[in-house]
Amino acid sequence: MNSWVKLAIILLVVELFWWCPVAWASPVAVAPVLGDVVREFDPPEYRWLAGHRGVDITAEVGTPVLAAMDGVVSFAGMVAGRPVISVNHGELTTTYEPVEPSVRVGDHVMAGQEIGQLIEGHSCEMTCLHWGVKKGEDYLDPLGFLSGGQIRLLTEQGFDIVRQRAIELMLIGNGHRSALGLISPTRGIVTSAYGMRHHPISGKWKFHDGIDIAHGCGTPLVAAASGRVVESHYHGGYGNRLVIDHGVLGAVRVKTGYNHAQRYSVRVGEQVFQGQVVGWMGTTGYSTGCHLHFQVWVNGSLINPRSVLP
């Protein structure tokens, strides 16, 4: 079986099981970081004995740590001198340490959403994340919940494609595309349309050159189509701003803009694929709440994004 067939099977599993309830026995998880597993799951024979009740995955200090599955943050605080985050997923709970949290108890998070940043503190030779999964009082092997199994059995590029595709399926409802081939850049509701409006901060009647899609801070933002990043910088009004050139789609030249983000995961000059996570929703610049200000240019002119989205 060649690698593309294997990848197709993995993606099919993600697509088939995505809509199952989080309490289902074996939900598919997103890896919280990409790296090497330096210590495997090794539970004790009895709960009160010593053992390794999760897996350790290497990553650099400051690496965004992602929620493995949809859930609700049940704990974000210090345990034995280290910051720990716990997320409840119904019958399952996932834990992440040592992680400086960007979420609070009670926050609803989605699979692939950033919940904090990795810091030093766990007992590895290199900086690493300790990731655990519990069902009631019983610890389970976290790697058993990943599509494709062990992280190290896939190349970083191959696993990233699987992870990003899983997030894409979640965000865009099985990959629906518009006539121009674009997908929705994030999950949320449109709170401000394209066209003239009263600016929410200045109160002036002003042209709104995109649409605002609102959801929680940290919601993943994905590339609406494959292309190359041509801008990534801070702009006073737009806050953190990213622009992707998608080349010619359907006989027209298309670019898309992503504004007010918390942060981006790609750089100028980088090639991105459709559905790849390029950043996380924020409220930077002239903003009154967490949202994405999404723009579309066709042949160099701004258009109403709703006209080319599914």
Side-chain angles (χ1 to χ4, degrees):
M1 186 184 296
N2 65 43
S3 59
W4 286 110
V5 173
K6 291 179 180 177
L7 180 58
I9 292 173
I10 291 170
L11 294 179
L12 179 60
V13 170
V14 173
E15 186 160 358
L16 288 176
F17 291 148
W18 174 250
W19 300 108
C20 292
V22 295
W24 188 69
S26 298
V28 175
V30 171
V33 295
L34 288 179
D36 296 323
V37 177
V38 292
R39 189 175 178 187
E40 297 182 343
F41 181 65
D42 184 20
E45 184 176 358
Y46 300 103
R47 291 175 185 168
W48 59 85
L49 295 178
H52 198 242
R53 294 169 170 83
V55 294
D56 292 345
I57 309 171
T58 59
E60 296 181 356
V61 171
T63 297
V65 176
L66 312 179
M69 295 173 262
D70 279 12
V72 178
V73 178
S74 56
F75 182 82
M78 302 297 291
V79 175
R82 291 196 296 265
V84 176
I85 299 174
S86 297
V87 181
N88 181 269
H89 312 283
E91 290 187 356
L92 300 178
T93 298
T94 53
T95 59
Y96 314 79
E97 64 172 287
V99 179
E100 188 68 36
S102 58
V103 292
R104 295 179 294 182
V105 172
D107 285 353
H108 290 259
V109 295
M110 298 185 298
Q113 177 176 333
E114 181 179 342
I115 58 175
Q117 295 182 20
L118 183 64
I119 64 171
E120 294 180 339
H122 192 54
S123 54
C124 298
E125 291 185 5
M126 302 172 61
T127 308
C128 70
L129 171 75
H130 180 74
W131 177 34
V133 176
K134 291 179 66 177
K135 183 176 182 180
E137 295 300 317
D138 297 322
Y139 285 87
L140 307 176
D141 185 357
L143 299 183
F145 293 88
L146 294 176
S147 55
Q150 306 266 346
I151 294 175
R152 61 180 178 277
L153 294 183
L154 294 172
T155 65
E156 181 170 325
Q157 180 182 16
F159 182 77
D160 199 41
I161 291 173
V162 173
R163 178 171 67 87
Q164 302 288 8
R165 175 59 176 155
I167 295 171
E168 175 192 334
L169 289 173
M170 174 187 70
L171 292 174
I172 65 173
N174 278 351
H176 294 310
R177 289 168 171 79
S178 68
L180 198 58
L182 300 184
I183 63 174
S184 296
T186 192
R187 171 185 285 182
I189 59 172
V190 175
T191 56
S192 189
Y194 178 86
M196 297 301 295
R197 67 165 187 174
H198 287 287
H199 194 279
I201 295 178
S202 69
K204 295 181 179 179
W205 189 250
K206 188 178 180 181
F207 182 71
H208 190 233
D209 59 7
I211 59 173
D212 291 346
I213 306 174
H215 208 274
C217 277
T219 300
L221 310 176
V222 304
S226 298
R228 183 172 63 89
V229 178
V230 292
E231 291 184 39
S232 181
H233 56 88
Y234 187 87
H235 181 285
Y238 293 116
N240 290 327
R241 176 172 173 80
L242 185 83
V243 177
I244 300 174
D245 188 339
H246 305 288
V248 176
L249 302 176
V252 292
R253 187 68 179 257
V254 179
K255 292 198 300 183
T256 54
Y258 310 76
N259 304 281
H260 304 299
Q262 191 176 81
R263 65 168 65 196
Y264 297 111
S265 56
V266 293
R267 299 176 180 178
V268 171
E270 189 171 337
Q271 295 288 331
V272 298
F273 55 86
Q274 187 174 55
Q276 177 176 342
V277 173
V278 296
W280 292 271
M281 189 179 292
T283 183
T284 57
Y286 296 157
S287 170
T288 58
C290 297
H291 74 286
L292 167 68
H293 176 67
F294 182 63
Q295 300 168 291
V296 177
W297 292 263
V298 169
N299 291 333
S301 299
L302 282 163
I303 67 165
N304 185 351
R306 294 295 292 268
S307 68
V308 291
L309 287 177

PDB file of all heavy atoms in Angstrom, residues 42-74:
ATOM      1  N   ASP A  42       3.583   4.545  30.045  1.00  0.00           N
ATOM      2  CA  ASP A  42       4.011   3.390  30.832  1.00  0.00           C
ATOM      3  C   ASP A  42       3.303   3.438  32.183  1.00  0.00           C
ATOM      4  O   ASP A  42       3.896   3.777  33.207  1.00  0.00           O
ATOM      5  CB  ASP A  42       5.531   3.414  31.014  1.00  0.00           C
ATOM      6  CG  ASP A  42       6.042   2.178  31.749  1.00  0.00           C
ATOM      7  OD1 ASP A  42       5.324   1.163  31.774  1.00  0.00           O
ATOM      8  OD2 ASP A  42       7.150   2.243  32.312  1.00  0.00           O
ATOM      9  N   PRO A  43       2.008   3.075  32.205  1.00  0.00           N
ATOM     10  CA  PRO A  43       1.220   3.213  33.438  1.00  0.00           C
ATOM     11  C   PRO A  43       1.629   2.179  34.483  1.00  0.00           C
ATOM     12  O   PRO A  43       2.113   1.089  34.143  1.00  0.00           O
ATOM     13  CB  PRO A  43      -0.208   2.982  32.961  1.00  0.00           C
ATOM     14  CG  PRO A  43      -0.045   2.054  31.790  1.00  0.00           C
ATOM     15  CD  PRO A  43       1.231   2.473  31.113  1.00  0.00           C
ATOM     16  N   PRO A  44       1.442   2.491  35.742  1.00  0.00           N
ATOM     17  CA  PRO A  44       1.757   1.524  36.799  1.00  0.00           C
ATOM     18  C   PRO A  44       0.700   0.425  36.856  1.00  0.00           C
ATOM     19  O   PRO A  44      -0.420   0.585  36.358  1.00  0.00           O
ATOM     20  CB  PRO A  44       1.720   2.378  38.064  1.00  0.00           C
ATOM     21  CG  PRO A  44       0.739   3.454  37.743  1.00  0.00           C
ATOM     22  CD  PRO A  44       0.927   3.754  36.270  1.00  0.00           C
ATOM     23  N   GLU A  45       1.047  -0.676  37.483  1.00  0.00           N
ATOM     24  CA  GLU A  45       0.096  -1.784  37.616  1.00  0.00           C
ATOM     25  C   GLU A  45      -1.070  -1.384  38.515  1.00  0.00           C
ATOM     26  O   GLU A  45      -2.208  -1.776  38.280  1.00  0.00           O
ATOM     27  CB  GLU A  45       0.806  -3.007  38.195  1.00  0.00           C
ATOM     28  CG  GLU A  45      -0.093  -4.231  38.277  1.00  0.00           C
ATOM     29  CD  GLU A  45       0.655  -5.462  38.768  1.00  0.00           C
ATOM     30  OE1 GLU A  45       1.885  -5.358  38.998  1.00  0.00           O
ATOM     31  OE2 GLU A  45       0.005  -6.516  38.915  1.00  0.00           O
ATOM     32  N   TYR A  46      -0.755  -0.584  39.535  1.00  0.00           N
ATOM     33  CA  TYR A  46      -1.788  -0.084  40.427  1.00  0.00           C
ATOM     34  C   TYR A  46      -1.710   1.444  40.460  1.00  0.00           C
ATOM     35  O   TYR A  46      -0.636   2.030  40.302  1.00  0.00           O
ATOM     36  CB  TYR A  46      -1.611  -0.651  41.837  1.00  0.00           C
ATOM     37  CG  TYR A  46      -1.678  -2.155  41.881  1.00  0.00           C
ATOM     38  CD1 TYR A  46      -0.516  -2.913  41.991  1.00  0.00           C
ATOM     39  CD2 TYR A  46      -2.899  -2.810  41.790  1.00  0.00           C
ATOM     40  CE1 TYR A  46      -0.576  -4.305  42.022  1.00  0.00           C
ATOM     41  CE2 TYR A  46      -2.974  -4.194  41.817  1.00  0.00           C
ATOM     42  CZ  TYR A  46      -1.807  -4.933  41.926  1.00  0.00           C
ATOM     43  OH  TYR A  46      -1.877  -6.301  41.945  1.00  0.00           O
ATOM     44  N   ARG A  47      -2.856   2.090  40.683  1.00  0.00           N
ATOM     45  CA  ARG A  47      -2.935   3.549  40.583  1.00  0.00           C
ATOM     46  C   ARG A  47      -1.978   4.266  41.521  1.00  0.00           C
ATOM     47  O   ARG A  47      -1.511   5.365  41.233  1.00  0.00           O
ATOM     48  CB  ARG A  47      -4.369   4.013  40.866  1.00  0.00           C
ATOM     49  CG  ARG A  47      -5.355   3.612  39.790  1.00  0.00           C
ATOM     50  CD  ARG A  47      -6.768   3.992  40.179  1.00  0.00           C
ATOM     51  NE  ARG A  47      -7.748   3.521  39.209  1.00  0.00           N
ATOM     52  CZ  ARG A  47      -9.064   3.510  39.412  1.00  0.00           C
ATOM     53  NH1 ARG A  47      -9.537   3.950  40.565  1.00  0.00           N
ATOM     54  NH2 ARG A  47      -9.880   3.064  38.484  1.00  0.00           N
ATOM     55  N   TRP A  48      -1.715   3.677  42.660  1.00  0.00           N
ATOM     56  CA  TRP A  48      -0.896   4.369  43.661  1.00  0.00           C
ATOM     57  C   TRP A  48       0.606   4.194  43.443  1.00  0.00           C
ATOM     58  O   TRP A  48       1.401   4.778  44.159  1.00  0.00           O
ATOM     59  CB  TRP A  48      -1.278   3.885  45.062  1.00  0.00           C
ATOM     60  CG  TRP A  48      -1.113   2.398  45.266  1.00  0.00           C
ATOM     61  CD1 TRP A  48       0.011   1.725  45.626  1.00  0.00           C
ATOM     62  CD2 TRP A  48      -2.138   1.425  45.098  1.00  0.00           C
ATOM     63  NE1 TRP A  48      -0.231   0.385  45.700  1.00  0.00           N
ATOM     64  CE2 TRP A  48      -1.558   0.163  45.398  1.00  0.00           C
ATOM     65  CE3 TRP A  48      -3.497   1.486  44.749  1.00  0.00           C
ATOM     66  CZ2 TRP A  48      -2.286  -1.022  45.334  1.00  0.00           C
ATOM     67  CZ3 TRP A  48      -4.211   0.296  44.689  1.00  0.00           C
ATOM     68  CH2 TRP A  48      -3.614  -0.938  44.976  1.00  0.00           C
ATOM     69  N   LEU A  49       1.003   3.385  42.439  1.00  0.00           N
ATOM     70  CA  LEU A  49       2.423   3.161  42.181  1.00  0.00           C
ATOM     71  C   LEU A  49       2.961   4.178  41.183  1.00  0.00           C
ATOM     72  O   LEU A  49       2.211   4.837  40.468  1.00  0.00           O
ATOM     73  CB  LEU A  49       2.637   1.748  41.640  1.00  0.00           C
ATOM     74  CG  LEU A  49       2.298   0.601  42.593  1.00  0.00           C
ATOM     75  CD1 LEU A  49       2.517  -0.737  41.900  1.00  0.00           C
ATOM     76  CD2 LEU A  49       3.119   0.693  43.878  1.00  0.00           C
ATOM     77  N   ALA A  50       4.294   4.304  41.137  1.00  0.00           N
ATOM     78  CA  ALA A  50       4.941   5.218  40.198  1.00  0.00           C
ATOM     79  C   ALA A  50       4.830   4.669  38.777  1.00  0.00           C
ATOM     80  O   ALA A  50       4.785   3.461  38.561  1.00  0.00           O
ATOM     81  CB  ALA A  50       6.408   5.403  40.584  1.00  0.00           C
ATOM     82  N   GLY A  51       4.810   5.559  37.833  1.00  0.00           N
ATOM     83  CA  GLY A  51       4.749   5.182  36.424  1.00  0.00           C
ATOM     84  C   GLY A  51       4.694   6.430  35.564  1.00  0.00           C
ATOM     85  O   GLY A  51       4.774   7.559  36.077  1.00  0.00           O
ATOM     86  N   HIS A  52       4.562   6.248  34.262  1.00  0.00           N
ATOM     87  CA  HIS A  52       4.460   7.390  33.351  1.00  0.00           C
ATOM     88  C   HIS A  52       3.079   7.378  32.733  1.00  0.00           C
ATOM     89  O   HIS A  52       2.763   6.559  31.867  1.00  0.00           O
ATOM     90  CB  HIS A  52       5.544   7.317  32.267  1.00  0.00           C
ATOM     91  CG  HIS A  52       5.771   8.617  31.580  1.00  0.00           C
ATOM     92  ND1 HIS A  52       5.562   8.800  30.239  1.00  0.00           N
ATOM     93  CD2 HIS A  52       6.183   9.819  32.064  1.00  0.00           C
ATOM     94  CE1 HIS A  52       5.841  10.058  29.915  1.00  0.00           C
ATOM     95  NE2 HIS A  52       6.220  10.690  30.995  1.00  0.00           N
ATOM     96  N   ARG A  53       2.220   8.313  33.173  1.00  0.00           N
ATOM     97  CA  ARG A  53       0.795   8.286  32.868  1.00  0.00           C
ATOM     98  C   ARG A  53       0.430   9.145  31.659  1.00  0.00           C
ATOM     99  O   ARG A  53      -0.678   9.648  31.565  1.00  0.00           O
ATOM    100  CB  ARG A  53       0.017   8.738  34.106  1.00  0.00           C
ATOM    101  CG  ARG A  53       0.146   7.766  35.285  1.00  0.00           C
ATOM    102  CD  ARG A  53      -0.410   8.383  36.549  1.00  0.00           C
ATOM    103  NE  ARG A  53      -0.530   7.423  37.642  1.00  0.00           N
ATOM    104  CZ  ARG A  53       0.467   7.071  38.444  1.00  0.00           C
ATOM    105  NH1 ARG A  53       1.684   7.627  38.282  1.00  0.00           N
ATOM    106  NH2 ARG A  53       0.287   6.189  39.407  1.00  0.00           N
ATOM    107  N   GLY A  54       1.368   9.317  30.764  1.00  0.00           N
ATOM    108  CA  GLY A  54       1.134  10.084  29.550  1.00  0.00           C
ATOM    109  C   GLY A  54       2.304   9.872  28.609  1.00  0.00           C
ATOM    110  O   GLY A  54       3.037   8.890  28.722  1.00  0.00           O
ATOM    111  N   VAL A  55       2.482  10.814  27.674  1.00  0.00           N
ATOM    112  CA  VAL A  55       3.634  10.773  26.767  1.00  0.00           C
ATOM    113  C   VAL A  55       4.338  12.117  26.819  1.00  0.00           C
ATOM    114  O   VAL A  55       3.713  13.163  27.054  1.00  0.00           O
ATOM    115  CB  VAL A  55       3.222  10.438  25.319  1.00  0.00           C
ATOM    116  CG1 VAL A  55       2.679   9.030  25.222  1.00  0.00           C
ATOM    117  CG2 VAL A  55       2.207  11.450  24.780  1.00  0.00           C
ATOM    118  N   ASP A  56       5.656  12.100  26.595  1.00  0.00           N
ATOM    119  CA  ASP A  56       6.456  13.322  26.530  1.00  0.00           C
ATOM    120  C   ASP A  56       6.850  13.570  25.080  1.00  0.00           C
ATOM    121  O   ASP A  56       7.420  12.675  24.424  1.00  0.00           O
ATOM    122  CB  ASP A  56       7.711  13.208  27.390  1.00  0.00           C
ATOM    123  CG  ASP A  56       7.402  13.149  28.882  1.00  0.00           C
ATOM    124  OD1 ASP A  56       6.260  13.488  29.250  1.00  0.00           O
ATOM    125  OD2 ASP A  56       8.297  12.765  29.658  1.00  0.00           O
ATOM    126  N   ILE A  57       6.541  14.775  24.578  1.00  0.00           N
ATOM    127  CA  ILE A  57       6.803  15.128  23.182  1.00  0.00           C
ATOM    128  C   ILE A  57       7.688  16.366  23.160  1.00  0.00           C
ATOM    129  O   ILE A  57       7.358  17.391  23.761  1.00  0.00           O
ATOM    130  CB  ILE A  57       5.499  15.418  22.413  1.00  0.00           C
ATOM    131  CG1 ILE A  57       4.496  14.278  22.601  1.00  0.00           C
ATOM    132  CG2 ILE A  57       5.775  15.639  20.937  1.00  0.00           C
ATOM    133  CD1 ILE A  57       3.106  14.587  22.063  1.00  0.00           C
ATOM    134  N   THR A  58       8.810  16.315  22.463  1.00  0.00           N
ATOM    135  CA  THR A  58       9.735  17.449  22.423  1.00  0.00           C
ATOM    136  C   THR A  58       9.173  18.585  21.578  1.00  0.00           C
ATOM    137  O   THR A  58       8.506  18.375  20.564  1.00  0.00           O
ATOM    138  CB  THR A  58      11.097  17.048  21.840  1.00  0.00           C
ATOM    139  OG1 THR A  58      10.920  16.540  20.508  1.00  0.00           O
ATOM    140  CG2 THR A  58      11.764  15.988  22.705  1.00  0.00           C
ATOM    141  N   ALA A  59       9.443  19.802  22.012  1.00  0.00           N
ATOM    142  CA  ALA A  59       9.084  21.017  21.272  1.00  0.00           C
ATOM    143  C   ALA A  59       9.848  22.173  21.894  1.00  0.00           C
ATOM    144  O   ALA A  59      10.320  22.077  23.033  1.00  0.00           O
ATOM    145  CB  ALA A  59       7.580  21.279  21.317  1.00  0.00           C
ATOM    146  N   GLU A  60       9.985  23.256  21.171  1.00  0.00           N
ATOM    147  CA  GLU A  60      10.718  24.415  21.660  1.00  0.00           C
ATOM    148  C   GLU A  60       9.877  25.225  22.638  1.00  0.00           C
ATOM    149  O   GLU A  60       8.643  25.218  22.568  1.00  0.00           O
ATOM    150  CB  GLU A  60      11.149  25.309  20.494  1.00  0.00           C
ATOM    151  CG  GLU A  60      12.132  24.645  19.535  1.00  0.00           C
ATOM    152  CD  GLU A  60      12.540  25.575  18.421  1.00  0.00           C
ATOM    153  OE1 GLU A  60      11.995  26.711  18.361  1.00  0.00           O
ATOM    154  OE2 GLU A  60      13.394  25.189  17.602  1.00  0.00           O
ATOM    155  N   VAL A  61      10.567  25.934  23.531  1.00  0.00           N
ATOM    156  CA  VAL A  61       9.884  26.859  24.429  1.00  0.00           C
ATOM    157  C   VAL A  61       9.122  27.886  23.597  1.00  0.00           C
ATOM    158  O   VAL A  61       9.639  28.408  22.606  1.00  0.00           O
ATOM    159  CB  VAL A  61      10.894  27.563  25.352  1.00  0.00           C
ATOM    160  CG1 VAL A  61      10.215  28.692  26.131  1.00  0.00           C
ATOM    161  CG2 VAL A  61      11.527  26.569  26.313  1.00  0.00           C
ATOM    162  N   GLY A  62       7.887  28.148  23.971  1.00  0.00           N
ATOM    163  CA  GLY A  62       7.062  29.114  23.237  1.00  0.00           C
ATOM    164  C   GLY A  62       6.202  28.488  22.163  1.00  0.00           C
ATOM    165  O   GLY A  62       5.378  29.177  21.539  1.00  0.00           O
ATOM    166  N   THR A  63       6.370  27.176  21.909  1.00  0.00           N
ATOM    167  CA  THR A  63       5.543  26.498  20.909  1.00  0.00           C
ATOM    168  C   THR A  63       4.071  26.534  21.329  1.00  0.00           C
ATOM    169  O   THR A  63       3.751  26.214  22.482  1.00  0.00           O
ATOM    170  CB  THR A  63       5.972  25.025  20.762  1.00  0.00           C
ATOM    171  OG1 THR A  63       7.319  24.979  20.289  1.00  0.00           O
ATOM    172  CG2 THR A  63       5.072  24.280  19.787  1.00  0.00           C
ATOM    173  N   PRO A  64       3.158  26.926  20.424  1.00  0.00           N
ATOM    174  CA  PRO A  64       1.738  26.876  20.770  1.00  0.00           C
ATOM    175  C   PRO A  64       1.301  25.438  21.056  1.00  0.00           C
ATOM    176  O   PRO A  64       1.639  24.519  20.307  1.00  0.00           O
ATOM    177  CB  PRO A  64       1.048  27.416  19.515  1.00  0.00           C
ATOM    178  CG  PRO A  64       2.085  28.218  18.813  1.00  0.00           C
ATOM    179  CD  PRO A  64       3.380  27.521  19.086  1.00  0.00           C
ATOM    180  N   VAL A  65       0.580  25.255  22.134  1.00  0.00           N
ATOM    181  CA  VAL A  65       0.038  23.944  22.493  1.00  0.00           C
ATOM    182  C   VAL A  65      -1.441  23.946  22.116  1.00  0.00           C
ATOM    183  O   VAL A  65      -2.175  24.876  22.474  1.00  0.00           O
ATOM    184  CB  VAL A  65       0.229  23.654  23.989  1.00  0.00           C
ATOM    185  CG1 VAL A  65      -0.419  22.329  24.369  1.00  0.00           C
ATOM    186  CG2 VAL A  65       1.721  23.642  24.338  1.00  0.00           C
ATOM    187  N   LEU A  66      -1.869  22.918  21.395  1.00  0.00           N
ATOM    188  CA  LEU A  66      -3.218  22.863  20.852  1.00  0.00           C
ATOM    189  C   LEU A  66      -4.096  21.891  21.627  1.00  0.00           C
ATOM    190  O   LEU A  66      -3.622  20.862  22.121  1.00  0.00           O
ATOM    191  CB  LEU A  66      -3.172  22.423  19.381  1.00  0.00           C
ATOM    192  CG  LEU A  66      -2.169  23.134  18.466  1.00  0.00           C
ATOM    193  CD1 LEU A  66      -2.253  22.550  17.056  1.00  0.00           C
ATOM    194  CD2 LEU A  66      -2.408  24.634  18.459  1.00  0.00           C
ATOM    195  N   ALA A  67      -5.371  22.224  21.722  1.00  0.00           N
ATOM    196  CA  ALA A  67      -6.336  21.293  22.312  1.00  0.00           C
ATOM    197  C   ALA A  67      -6.432  20.058  21.425  1.00  0.00           C
ATOM    198  O   ALA A  67      -6.528  20.168  20.201  1.00  0.00           O
ATOM    199  CB  ALA A  67      -7.702  21.952  22.449  1.00  0.00           C
ATOM    200  N   ALA A  68      -6.391  18.884  22.027  1.00  0.00           N
ATOM    201  CA  ALA A  68      -6.416  17.644  21.251  1.00  0.00           C
ATOM    202  C   ALA A  68      -7.796  17.343  20.675  1.00  0.00           C
ATOM    203  O   ALA A  68      -7.910  16.701  19.632  1.00  0.00           O
ATOM    204  CB  ALA A  68      -5.947  16.478  22.118  1.00  0.00           C
ATOM    205  N   MET A  69      -8.854  17.787  21.360  1.00  0.00           N
ATOM    206  CA  MET A  69     -10.230  17.527  20.929  1.00  0.00           C
ATOM    207  C   MET A  69     -11.105  18.691  21.385  1.00  0.00           C
ATOM    208  O   MET A  69     -10.678  19.502  22.205  1.00  0.00           O
ATOM    209  CB  MET A  69     -10.756  16.222  21.544  1.00  0.00           C
ATOM    210  CG  MET A  69     -10.055  14.957  21.100  1.00  0.00           C
ATOM    211  SD  MET A  69     -10.610  13.489  22.042  1.00  0.00           S
ATOM    212  CE  MET A  69      -9.291  13.366  23.260  1.00  0.00           C
ATOM    213  N   ASP A  70     -12.305  18.777  20.855  1.00  0.00           N
ATOM    214  CA  ASP A  70     -13.280  19.737  21.356  1.00  0.00           C
ATOM    215  C   ASP A  70     -13.531  19.483  22.844  1.00  0.00           C
ATOM    216  O   ASP A  70     -13.561  18.328  23.282  1.00  0.00           O
ATOM    217  CB  ASP A  70     -14.618  19.583  20.624  1.00  0.00           C
ATOM    218  CG  ASP A  70     -14.622  20.280  19.280  1.00  0.00           C
ATOM    219  OD1 ASP A  70     -13.542  20.687  18.823  1.00  0.00           O
ATOM    220  OD2 ASP A  70     -15.709  20.399  18.692  1.00  0.00           O
ATOM    221  N   GLY A  71     -13.731  20.545  23.614  1.00  0.00           N
ATOM    222  CA  GLY A  71     -14.039  20.347  25.019  1.00  0.00           C
ATOM    223  C   GLY A  71     -14.171  21.643  25.772  1.00  0.00           C
ATOM    224  O   GLY A  71     -14.265  22.725  25.174  1.00  0.00           O
ATOM    225  N   VAL A  72     -14.186  21.538  27.097  1.00  0.00           N
ATOM    226  CA  VAL A  72     -14.309  22.694  27.983  1.00  0.00           C
ATOM    227  C   VAL A  72     -13.144  22.658  28.969  1.00  0.00           C
ATOM    228  O   VAL A  72     -12.851  21.608  29.565  1.00  0.00           O
ATOM    229  CB  VAL A  72     -15.647  22.662  28.759  1.00  0.00           C
ATOM    230  CG1 VAL A  72     -15.734  23.846  29.717  1.00  0.00           C
ATOM    231  CG2 VAL A  72     -16.821  22.666  27.790  1.00  0.00           C
ATOM    232  N   VAL A  73     -12.468  23.793  29.129  1.00  0.00           N
ATOM    233  CA  VAL A  73     -11.336  23.872  30.054  1.00  0.00           C
ATOM    234  C   VAL A  73     -11.847  23.671  31.478  1.00  0.00           C
ATOM    235  O   VAL A  73     -12.711  24.416  31.951  1.00  0.00           O
ATOM    236  CB  VAL A  73     -10.614  25.226  29.930  1.00  0.00           C
ATOM    237  CG1 VAL A  73      -9.455  25.325  30.939  1.00  0.00           C
ATOM    238  CG2 VAL A  73     -10.082  25.424  28.507  1.00  0.00           C
ATOM    239  N   SER A  74     -11.337  22.643  32.150  1.00  0.00           N
ATOM    240  CA  SER A  74     -11.774  22.340  33.512  1.00  0.00           C
ATOM    241  C   SER A  74     -10.761  22.758  34.566  1.00  0.00           C
ATOM    242  O   SER A  74     -11.092  22.856  35.747  1.00  0.00           O
ATOM    243  CB  SER A  74     -12.071  20.836  33.649  1.00  0.00           C
ATOM    244  OG  SER A  74     -10.942  20.061  33.274  1.00  0.00           O
TER     245      SER A  74
END
